[in-house]
Amino acid sequence: MYWNKDLETMPREKLRSLQLERLKRIVKYAYEKVPFYRKRFDTSGIKPEDIRSLEDIKYIPFTSKADLREVYPFGMFAVPLSEIVEIHSSSGTTGKPVVMGYTKNDIEVWKEVMARSITTMGVTREDIIQIAYGYGLFTGGLGFHYGALAIGATIVPASAGNTRRQIELMRDFGSTVICCTPSYALYLAEYAKDEMGIDPSSLKLKAGSFGAEMWTEEMRREIEKRFGIKAYNVYGLTEIIGPGVAHECSEQKGLHIWEDHFYPEIIDPETGEPLPEGERGELVLTTLTKEGVPMIRFRTRDITAFISGECPCGRTAIRIERIRGRSDDMIKVRGVMLFPYQIEKAILEVQGVEPHYQIILTRPQHLDEIEVQVEMSKEAFSDEVRELEVLKKKLEKRIEETVGIRVKVTLVEPKSIPRSEGKAKRVIDKRGL
Amino acid sequence: MKIKQISVFLENKKGRLYEALSALAKGGVNIRALSIADTSDFGILRMIVDKPDLAKKALEEAGFTTKITHVIAVGVKDEPGGLAEVLKILYENDINVEYVYAFVEKSGEEALVVLRTNNLEKTIDLLQEKGVKLFDSKAVENL
């Protein structure tokens, strides 16, 4: 099922010429309207006319999150505020927030890509879609809202939080689709079962769109099992548009990037050089149609790879792998690079623990140590010390096999790791303190 | 002859033991015997109480992970070698003792000991055969 069949199944050659035409236009537009870009281009000796093919994009300098912070709040805006109809912003927890402005047309584009995204899950106007992403400055809630509105589905704008109410809404309204972060989805399932005596698989849900944080295939299976639904990956970021940059189709094998609006590249995060198809690196995105704040070669910090080959779903937009972490939450421990997802994967392969964990990094004697706190499942509790030790050893071994580093596993009480209604905090780095 | 023992998972965190015992106190549960198996990371609190089901409820409501297991309560002579005599029977019959701990009070001339072995049925049969006194749950709860 497609939302916009012509564009979603457009032959690749045609798509590429559309991209080139739009790339040329946006580069010229950015150069003329945003002093930041003009300065960048001039310093590197590039003129918009130098872009003659899609490959020429590699001559354009990157834009980083730090750049966007420097021009806080409206320095990247290409239009006067009177043209801006909506403003969104990142939370600013790791520095100054990043502010994005949308023109009327930008909102239309957002609607379009979100409608396509939601339709990939088979959602129609007959569905009841519960949006449990935060509404407000965070782009999650409104992004899904616009998409669902375009489709004509029945929206339950629950927003994030108020877990008991979320479950009551799903039960009483018969919501068929849920959208939230994957860690919150697991919490919802757990809460329904343990606190309300409701079997999450007895709800009418059939599908869910989960994103805004890194998650694994193992976690997908867990969510699918607990709710009895199909769980899809959604990808997006405030700097580009919000959710709806890419979404998984019914094949659940990678996320289609809506390439007529966003031009993707994968680069080596160390050198900045483009990587060949299939190799894992940092995703760089260029908005091809955005008017409010055009983004040229934005370094997302998200680690992924292109998936080659045609997708059986018929969509021609290229797919990326699920996000493997961020180049800035890559943990460097004793010289080895690792990502939280690797640890999550290992944990979920072992029976007897819950998919809730936290990674704590310390440096007690000039040497990094990793402690992984894992919640034991209620059912697995044995009053034999030996059996718990076996479980702990099993986890330590599995994690060591996966990441190549010895870690210390601590079994903690069920429900003792803080639950989050938004993005889960997986890593606590105490080394710098 | 099996009696119910309640076990509690204790994360190595300040005040956790106090919180567990205080939950029992609030629930009006009296402890008959208690032991803690501890490792560097966590502990397992094992108890014989007067009302095991109520204890489980009170602990779970306070957020603890618990489990009820079966053990036996043996009366041994309160003199040197009293417990050794019982253990000898088990040893000679290839029964492994998983853990053992003593009651906080004794009944008459005997010291009371909690025993968990790898084969409770066989342990009960053997000890009864040899005339070792076993206490049933009623006796333990009414101590």
Coordinates of all heavy atoms in Angstrom, one line a residue, chain A residues 373 376-389 392 396 408-414 416, chain B residues 5 7-11 13 16 37 39-42 44 46 60 63-67 69 98-99 116:
Chain A
Q373 N 24.3 -3.0 34.4 CA 23.2 -3.4 35.3 C 22.1 -3.9 34.5 O 21.6 -3.2 33.6 CB 22.8 -2.2 36.1 CG 23.9 -1.7 37.0 CD 23.5 -0.6 38.0 OE1 22.4 0.0 37.8 NE2 24.2 -0.4 39.0
M376 N 17.0 -8.5 36.6 CA 16.6 -9.9 36.6 C 15.1 -10.0 36.4 O 14.4 -9.1 36.9 CB 17.0 -10.4 38.0 CG 16.8 -11.9 38.2 SD 17.3 -12.2 39.9 CE 16.2 -11.0 40.8
S377 N 14.6 -11.0 35.8 CA 13.2 -11.1 35.6 C 12.6 -11.8 36.9 O 13.3 -12.6 37.5 CB 12.7 -11.9 34.4 OG 12.9 -13.3 34.6
K378 N 11.4 -11.5 37.3 CA 10.8 -12.0 38.5 C 10.8 -13.5 38.4 O 11.0 -14.2 39.4 CB 9.4 -11.5 38.5 CG 9.1 -10.6 39.7 CD 7.6 -10.2 39.5 CE 7.2 -9.6 40.8 NZ 5.9 -8.9 40.7
E379 N 10.5 -14.0 37.2 CA 10.3 -15.5 37.1 C 11.7 -16.2 37.3 O 11.7 -17.3 37.6 CB 9.8 -15.8 35.7 CG 8.3 -15.4 35.5 CD 8.2 -13.9 35.4 OE1 9.1 -13.2 34.9 OE2 7.1 -13.4 35.8
A380 N 12.8 -15.5 36.9 CA 14.1 -16.1 37.0 C 14.7 -16.1 38.4 O 15.7 -16.7 38.6 CB 15.0 -15.5 36.0
F381 N 14.1 -15.4 39.3 CA 14.7 -15.3 40.6 C 14.7 -16.7 41.3 O 13.7 -17.4 41.4 CB 13.9 -14.4 41.5 CG 14.4 -14.4 42.9 CD1 15.7 -14.2 43.2 CD2 13.5 -14.6 44.0 CE1 16.2 -14.2 44.6 CE2 13.9 -14.6 45.3 CZ 15.3 -14.4 45.6
S382 N 15.9 -17.1 41.7 CA 16.0 -18.4 42.3 C 16.7 -18.0 43.7 O 17.4 -17.1 43.8 CB 17.0 -19.3 41.5 OG 17.6 -20.2 42.4
D383 N 16.3 -18.8 44.7 CA 16.9 -18.5 46.0 C 18.3 -19.2 46.1 O 18.9 -19.2 47.2 CB 16.0 -18.7 47.1 CG 15.9 -20.2 47.4 OD1 16.0 -21.0 46.5 OD2 15.6 -20.5 48.6
E384 N 18.8 -19.7 45.0 CA 20.1 -20.4 45.0 C 21.1 -19.4 44.5 O 21.0 -19.0 43.4 CB 20.1 -21.6 44.1 CG 19.1 -22.6 44.4 CD 19.6 -23.6 45.4 OE1 20.9 -23.8 45.4 OE2 18.8 -24.2 46.2
V385 N 22.0 -19.0 45.3 CA 23.1 -18.1 44.9 C 23.7 -18.6 43.6 O 24.0 -17.9 42.7 CB 24.1 -17.9 46.0 CG1 25.3 -17.1 45.5 CG2 23.5 -17.3 47.2
R386 N 23.9 -19.9 43.6 CA 24.6 -20.5 42.5 C 23.9 -20.2 41.1 O 24.6 -19.8 40.1 CB 24.7 -22.0 42.7 CG 25.9 -22.7 42.0 CD 25.9 -24.2 42.4 NE 25.1 -24.6 43.5 CZ 24.1 -25.4 43.4 NH1 23.8 -26.0 42.3 NH2 23.4 -25.8 44.5
E387 N 22.6 -20.3 41.1 CA 21.9 -20.1 39.9 C 21.9 -18.7 39.4 O 22.0 -18.4 38.2 CB 20.4 -20.6 40.0 CG 20.3 -22.1 39.9 CD 18.9 -22.5 40.0 OE1 18.0 -21.8 39.6 OE2 18.7 -23.6 40.6
L388 N 21.9 -17.7 40.4 CA 22.0 -16.3 40.0 C 23.4 -16.0 39.4 O 23.6 -15.3 38.5 CB 21.7 -15.4 41.1 CG 20.2 -15.5 41.6 CD1 19.9 -14.5 42.7 CD2 19.2 -15.2 40.4
E389 N 24.4 -16.7 40.1 CA 25.8 -16.5 39.6 C 25.9 -17.0 38.2 O 26.6 -16.5 37.3 CB 26.8 -17.2 40.5 CG 26.8 -16.7 41.9 CD 27.7 -15.4 42.1 OE1 28.1 -14.9 41.0 OE2 27.9 -14.9 43.2
K392 N 24.5 -14.5 35.8 CA 25.4 -13.4 35.7 C 26.6 -13.7 34.8 O 26.9 -12.9 33.9 CB 25.8 -13.1 37.1 CG 26.7 -11.9 37.3 CD 27.1 -11.8 38.8 CE 28.6 -11.6 39.0 NZ 28.9 -10.2 39.3
E396 N 27.8 -12.1 31.3 CA 29.1 -11.5 31.1 C 29.8 -12.1 29.9 O 30.4 -11.5 29.1 CB 29.9 -11.7 32.4 CG 29.5 -10.8 33.5 CD 30.2 -11.0 34.8 OE1 30.9 -12.1 35.0 OE2 30.2 -10.1 35.7
K408 N 31.5 -6.2 33.8 CA 31.0 -6.7 35.0 C 29.5 -6.6 35.0 O 29.0 -5.5 34.8 CB 31.6 -6.0 36.2 CG 31.0 -6.4 37.6 CD 31.5 -5.4 38.6 CE 30.6 -5.3 39.8 NZ 30.1 -6.5 40.4
V409 N 28.8 -7.7 35.1 CA 27.3 -7.6 35.1 C 26.8 -7.6 36.6 O 27.3 -8.3 37.4 CB 26.7 -8.8 34.3 CG1 25.2 -8.9 34.6 CG2 26.9 -8.6 32.9
T410 N 25.9 -6.7 36.8 CA 25.3 -6.7 38.2 C 23.8 -6.9 37.9 O 23.2 -6.2 37.1 CB 25.5 -5.3 38.8 OG1 26.8 -5.0 38.9 CG2 24.9 -5.3 40.3
L411 N 23.3 -7.9 38.6 CA 21.9 -8.2 38.5 C 21.2 -7.3 39.5 O 21.5 -7.2 40.6 CB 21.6 -9.6 38.9 CG 22.1 -10.7 37.9 CD1 21.8 -12.1 38.5 CD2 21.4 -10.6 36.6
V412 N 20.2 -6.6 39.0 CA 19.5 -5.7 39.9 C 18.0 -6.1 40.0 O 17.5 -6.9 39.2 CB 19.6 -4.2 39.5 CG1 21.1 -3.7 39.5 CG2 19.0 -3.9 38.1
E413 N 17.3 -5.5 40.9 CA 15.9 -5.9 41.1 C 15.0 -5.5 39.9 O 15.3 -4.4 39.4 CB 15.4 -5.3 42.4 CG 16.1 -5.8 43.6 CD 15.6 -5.1 44.9 OE1 14.5 -4.5 44.9 OE2 16.3 -5.2 45.9
P414 N 14.1 -6.3 39.6 CA 13.1 -5.9 38.5 C 12.6 -4.5 38.8 O 12.3 -4.2 40.0 CB 12.0 -7.0 38.6 CG 12.6 -8.1 39.3 CD 13.7 -7.6 40.2
S416 N 14.0 -1.7 38.8 CA 14.8 -0.7 39.6 C 15.5 0.3 38.7 O 16.0 1.3 39.1 CB 15.8 -1.4 40.5 OG 16.7 -2.1 39.7
Chain B
Q5 N 9.4 -21.6 52.9 CA 10.5 -20.6 53.2 C 10.3 -19.5 52.2 O 10.0 -19.7 51.1 CB 11.8 -21.2 53.1 CG 13.0 -20.2 53.1 CD 14.3 -20.8 52.6 OE1 15.1 -21.1 53.4 NE2 14.4 -21.0 51.3
S7 N 12.0 -16.4 50.2 CA 13.3 -15.8 49.9 C 13.1 -14.5 49.2 O 12.2 -14.3 48.4 CB 14.1 -16.7 48.9 OG 14.2 -18.0 49.5
V8 N 14.0 -13.6 49.4 CA 13.9 -12.2 48.9 C 15.2 -11.9 48.2 O 16.3 -12.1 48.8 CB 13.6 -11.2 50.0 CG1 13.3 -9.8 49.4 CG2 12.5 -11.7 50.9
F9 N 15.1 -11.3 47.0 CA 16.4 -10.8 46.3 C 16.7 -9.4 46.9 O 15.8 -8.6 46.9 CB 16.1 -10.7 44.8 CG 17.3 -10.3 44.0 CD1 18.3 -11.1 43.8 CD2 17.3 -9.0 43.5 CE1 19.4 -10.7 43.0 CE2 18.4 -8.5 42.8 CZ 19.5 -9.4 42.5
L10 N 17.9 -9.3 47.3 CA 18.3 -8.0 47.9 C 19.5 -7.4 47.1 O 20.6 -8.0 47.0 CB 18.8 -8.2 49.3 CG 17.8 -8.4 50.4 CD1 18.5 -8.5 51.8 CD2 16.7 -7.4 50.5
E11 N 19.1 -6.4 46.4 CA 20.2 -5.7 45.6 C 21.1 -5.0 46.6 O 20.7 -4.6 47.7 CB 19.5 -4.6 44.8 CG 20.2 -4.2 43.6 CD 19.4 -3.1 42.9 OE1 18.2 -3.3 42.7 OE2 20.0 -2.1 42.5
K13 N 22.2 -2.4 48.0 CA 21.9 -1.0 48.0 C 21.5 -0.7 49.4 O 20.9 -1.4 50.1 CB 20.7 -0.8 47.1 CG 20.7 0.5 46.3 CD 19.7 0.4 45.1 CE 18.3 0.1 45.4 NZ 17.4 0.0 44.2
R16 N 18.3 -1.6 51.9 CA 17.4 -2.6 51.3 C 16.9 -3.7 52.3 O 15.7 -4.0 52.3 CB 18.1 -3.3 50.1 CG 17.3 -3.4 48.8 CD 16.3 -2.4 48.5 NE 15.4 -2.9 47.5 CZ 14.2 -2.5 47.3 NH1 13.7 -1.6 48.1 NH2 13.4 -3.0 46.4
A37 N 22.3 -15.0 52.4 CA 23.5 -15.5 51.6 C 23.9 -14.3 50.9 O 23.1 -13.7 50.2 CB 23.0 -16.6 50.7
T39 N 26.7 -12.2 48.3 CA 27.8 -12.2 47.3 C 28.2 -10.7 47.3 O 27.6 -9.9 47.9 CB 27.3 -12.6 45.9 OG1 26.5 -11.6 45.4 CG2 26.5 -13.9 46.0
S40 N 29.2 -10.4 46.4 CA 29.6 -9.0 46.4 C 28.6 -8.1 45.8 O 28.5 -6.9 46.1 CB 30.9 -8.9 45.6 OG 30.7 -9.4 44.3
D41 N 27.7 -8.6 45.0 CA 26.7 -7.8 44.3 C 25.3 -7.8 44.9 O 24.6 -6.8 44.9 CB 26.5 -8.3 42.9 CG 27.7 -8.2 42.0 OD1 28.6 -7.4 42.4 OD2 27.7 -8.8 41.0
F42 N 24.9 -8.9 45.4 CA 23.5 -9.0 45.9 C 23.4 -10.0 47.0 O 24.4 -10.7 47.3 CB 22.6 -9.4 44.8 CG 22.9 -10.8 44.2 CD1 22.4 -11.9 44.8 CD2 23.7 -10.9 43.1 CE1 22.7 -13.2 44.2 CE2 24.0 -12.1 42.5 CZ 23.5 -13.2 43.1
I44 N 20.7 -12.8 49.2 CA 19.4 -13.5 49.2 C 19.0 -13.7 50.7 O 19.7 -14.3 51.4 CB 19.4 -14.9 48.5 CG1 19.8 -14.6 47.0 CG2 18.1 -15.6 48.6 CD1 20.0 -15.9 46.2
R46 N 16.7 -15.3 53.3 CA 15.8 -16.5 53.5 C 15.2 -16.5 54.8 O 15.9 -16.3 55.8 CB 16.6 -17.8 53.2 CG 17.3 -17.9 51.9 CD 17.9 -19.2 51.7 NE 18.6 -19.3 50.5 CZ 20.0 -19.4 50.4 NH1 20.7 -19.5 51.5 NH2 20.6 -19.5 49.3
E60 N 6.0 -8.1 48.2 CA 5.8 -7.7 46.7 C 5.2 -6.4 46.6 O 5.5 -5.6 45.7 CB 5.1 -8.8 46.0 CG 6.0 -10.0 45.9 CD 5.5 -11.2 45.1 OE1 4.3 -11.2 44.7 OE2 6.3 -12.1 44.8
G63 N 7.6 -3.9 46.6 CA 8.5 -3.9 45.4 C 9.6 -4.9 45.4 O 10.6 -4.8 44.6
F64 N 9.5 -5.9 46.3 CA 10.6 -6.9 46.3 C 10.3 -8.1 45.4 O 9.1 -8.4 45.2 CB 10.8 -7.3 47.8 CG 11.5 -6.3 48.6 CD1 10.8 -5.4 49.4 CD2 12.9 -6.2 48.6 CE1 11.4 -4.4 50.1 CE2 13.6 -5.3 49.4 CZ 12.8 -4.4 50.1
T65 N 11.4 -8.7 45.0 CA 11.2 -9.9 44.2 C 11.4 -11.1 45.2 O 12.3 -11.2 45.9 CB 12.3 -10.0 43.2 OG1 12.2 -8.9 42.4 CG2 12.2 -11.3 42.3
T66 N 10.4 -11.9 45.3 CA 10.4 -13.0 46.3 C 10.1 -14.3 45.6 O 9.7 -14.4 44.5 CB 9.3 -12.8 47.3 OG1 8.0 -12.9 46.6 CG2 9.4 -11.4 48.0
K67 N 10.3 -15.4 46.4 CA 10.0 -16.7 46.0 C 9.7 -17.6 47.2 O 10.4 -17.4 48.2 CB 11.2 -17.2 45.2 CG 10.9 -18.5 44.5 CD 12.1 -18.9 43.6 CE 11.7 -20.2 42.9 NZ 12.7 -20.5 41.9
T69 N 10.0 -21.3 48.6 CA 10.6 -22.6 48.3 C 10.3 -23.5 49.5 O 9.9 -23.0 50.6 CB 12.1 -22.5 48.1 OG1 12.6 -21.6 49.1 CG2 12.5 -22.1 46.8
E98 N 22.1 -28.0 50.3 CA 22.3 -26.8 49.6 C 22.5 -25.6 50.6 O 23.3 -24.8 50.3 CB 21.1 -26.5 48.7 CG 21.3 -27.4 47.5 CD 20.1 -27.5 46.6 OE1 19.0 -27.0 46.9 OE2 20.2 -28.1 45.5
Y99 N 21.8 -25.6 51.6 CA 22.1 -24.6 52.7 C 21.4 -25.0 54.0 O 20.5 -25.9 54.0 CB 21.7 -23.2 52.3 CG 20.3 -23.0 51.8 CD1 19.2 -22.9 52.6 CD2 20.1 -22.8 50.4 CE1 17.9 -22.7 52.2 CE2 18.8 -22.7 49.9 CZ 17.7 -22.6 50.8 OH 16.4 -22.4 50.3
R116 N 18.0 -27.4 53.5 CA 17.5 -27.5 52.1 C 18.5 -28.4 51.4 O 19.7 -28.2 51.5 CB 17.4 -26.2 51.4 CG 17.3 -26.3 49.9 CD 16.0 -25.8 49.3 NE 16.0 -26.1 47.9 CZ 14.9 -26.4 47.2 NH1 13.7 -26.3 47.9 NH2 14.9 -26.7 46.0

